[in-house]
Amino acid sequence: MDDATRRLRVVSGHFNVEKPAAQQMRAPFDVAELQRIIDHDNHEHRQAMKDFMRNDDVYVPQYDISLAEERELALQRLRRICRAGFISVTDFRENPFRIFAAHEVAAMCDPSMATKMTVQFNLGNNAVEMQTTAVYDAGTQTFVINTPGSLAQKYWITNSAVHAQWAVVFAQLWVGGRNEGIHGFLVRIRNDDMSVCANLWFDNVRVPREALLDASSSVSPDGAFASSVAKPRDRFLRVADQLLSGRLERCGGQGYLSCNSAQEATFEAWMKHESDLVQGTANAYAEREADLPWFIAEGELPAKAGRSVPEAVREAVAELSPATCSGLVDSFGIPDHLVAAPIAGDWARYNQVDNKGELFGVNV
């Protein structure tokens, strides 16, 4: 049996699992419509990505591999997604939700690849007070980028570890002895042959004047600074709003930068209204039995009514399960070929041999 046939047989045997009869019951709601609500946007785009990954062997999850192999695999997966046109830098301007959709679907297959799509661009941990500087030298028309100490270096470098050739560096811009706030600079860190030309600890690295990302600020050849944003702090928020939006779904604090200006109403609605509603619902769910004695003792709930609560809860759960639960799971739209954990498939059959955690077991 050739390797390709073996791999196809293994994958097919793992994912084509017969679901229990209870899970095949029809959910008391429209699963497709709930999935559409959960996905929110770019529905055709999401489905096209899932179909694309179904037809390419490289997207089958792998576990028993080295760090170097994992990095290379993440790169190959991401490269194919990009070349197929599922994500583009123009999406930031034309359809930002398309970027979020691509991240969500990519993470179904490989969280490492999804992380590679959301590279951090800043040096250090406190973005607003970062210490890395970019001092303009009018004599050579270059910016001198310098990392003054260990607390200003980059800690999480994602795809910069082995693959990136360019980096967008955030640094305090100094022009004519004046700090003009944090700006972004395009800095080359590897040559075409992938040899390193600048580490992510910068020791007086010079970049040309044109390396400044100048959508809102600029520096003339003779060192005159101009900006359409009056306050230095706001200049950082302006550039961060563009470059960090890919991290919205991963980190609430940084995600705020993406909602801070144009979408402030969205942020306020979630944090001060919907979020409270969700937490209130969770609290009510937890209190229904855990705090039931307190409600009875304090006279907030008659004893007879209190005794009926546990049974009412069990009846409600029995009514919802299992068809409803199965429908809720299906509504997340995760296809079988993107279920990364072997435990989600035929677990008993999978463990008949030692597959070392891999889906490509030799003897399955």
Side-chain angles (χ1 to χ4, degrees):
M1 181 186 301
D2 61 54
D3 186 63
T5 302
R6 176 185 63 78
R7 289 158 74 95
L8 288 172
R9 189 172 117 183
V10 170
V11 175
S12 175
H14 175 70
F15 288 123
N16 294 335
V17 179
E18 185 72 19
K19 292 186 177 181
Q23 291 185 331
Q24 295 177 347
M25 297 172 58
R26 180 168 181 170
F29 56 86
D30 189 332
V31 174
E33 180 59 24
L34 180 57
Q35 179 184 340
R36 186 172 184 83
I37 294 172
I38 292 175
D39 283 346
H40 184 270
D41 55 74
N42 291 277
H43 303 93
E44 294 78 11
H45 174 66
R46 293 171 186 267
Q47 187 59 50
M49 276 192 68
K50 295 173 184 177
D51 293 341
F52 175 78
M53 288 189 279
R54 181 198 302 275
N55 298 318
D56 194 329
D57 201 43
V58 76
Y59 293 103
V60 175
Q62 297 185 41
Y63 301 98
D64 191 23
I65 56 179
S66 67
L67 176 60
E69 291 173 313
E70 184 175 2
R71 285 172 169 169
E72 183 63 28
L73 181 61
L75 174 67
Q76 295 304 321
R77 287 169 169 169
L78 179 56
R79 180 175 287 166
R80 296 186 191 198
I81 286 176
C82 293
R83 290 178 176 174
F86 289 112
I87 189 171
S88 169
V89 293
T90 60
D91 292 334
F92 282 98
R93 179 179 64 250
E94 298 172 0
N95 184 0
F97 283 118
R98 193 171 185 267
I99 292 179
F100 301 148
H103 280 77
E104 291 171 7
V105 176
M108 292 179 183
C109 166
D110 182 1
S112 177
M113 172 179 59
T115 300
K116 226 175 182 62
M117 299 168 72
T118 58
V119 182
Q120 291 186 357
F121 291 98
N122 59 290
L123 286 173
N125 295 323
N126 186 349
V128 177
E129 300 296 332
M130 67 177 62
Q131 301 172 14
T132 299
T133 59
V135 180
Y136 184 65
D137 179 0
T140 59
Q141 295 187 27
T142 59
F143 293 102
V144 182
I145 299 179
N146 188 60
T147 306
S150 59
L151 293 180
Q153 68 178 315
K154 180 69 171 173
Y155 289 104
W156 184 31
I157 57 177
T158 53
N159 72 346
S160 298
V162 290
H163 295 128
Q165 291 179 293
W166 295 85
V168 175
V169 178
F170 281 178
Q172 301 280 0
L173 171 60
W174 287 81
V175 181
R178 178 185 174 89
N179 187 348
E180 300 293 354
I182 297 173
H183 288 71
F185 300 84
L186 187 63
V187 181
R188 182 152 199 162
I189 59 175
R190 283 187 178 85
N191 298 307
D192 289 339
D193 62 1
M194 299 306 292
S195 60
V196 176
C197 57
N199 294 313
L200 293 188
W201 177 311
F202 296 96
D203 184 10
N204 295 314
V205 174
R206 290 181 177 269
V207 298
R209 184 177 62 87
E210 293 78 12
L212 171 67
L213 302 185
D214 60 357
S216 58
S217 300
S218 63
V219 177
S220 67
D222 61 358
F225 176 81
S227 179
S228 60
V229 182
K231 297 180 180 180
R233 179 184 175 85
D234 291 344
R235 294 168 190 160
F236 166 71
L237 294 176
R238 176 68 63 85
V239 69
D241 185 59
Q242 297 296 319
L243 293 177
L244 301 182
S245 58
R247 297 161 63 191
L248 178 59
E249 70 275 19
R250 280 174 173 71
C251 179
Q254 292 293 342
Y256 174 74
L257 295 173
S258 299
C259 301
N260 189 48
S261 53
Q263 301 180 27
E264 185 172 355
T266 302
F267 178 83
E268 294 291 317
W270 166 248
M271 291 302 295
K272 296 184 178 180
H273 301 289
E274 280 84 352
S275 181
D276 289 344
L277 180 61
V278 171
Q279 294 179 35
T281 302
N283 287 334
Y285 179 84
E287 289 173 352
R288 70 172 190 256
E289 290 189 75
D291 295 333
L292 184 58
W294 181 89
F295 285 105
I296 295 176
E298 294 295 322
E300 298 291 336
L301 188 68
K304 183 177 180 180
R307 285 193 295 270
S308 68
V309 170
E311 183 61 28
V313 170
R314 283 188 284 273
E315 290 178 358
V317 171
E319 182 179 350
L320 290 174
S321 179
T324 299
C325 293
S326 176
L328 289 173
V329 172
D330 291 341
S331 67
F332 283 97
I334 303 176
D336 286 347
H337 64 280
L338 292 183
V339 177
I343 196 173
D346 190 339
W347 185 240
R349 180 187 174 199
Y350 181 81
N351 277 305
Q352 290 176 0
V353 295
D354 182 12
N355 292 296
K356 301 184 184 301
E358 293 294 350
L359 301 185
F360 288 146
V362 176
N363 299 313
V364 175

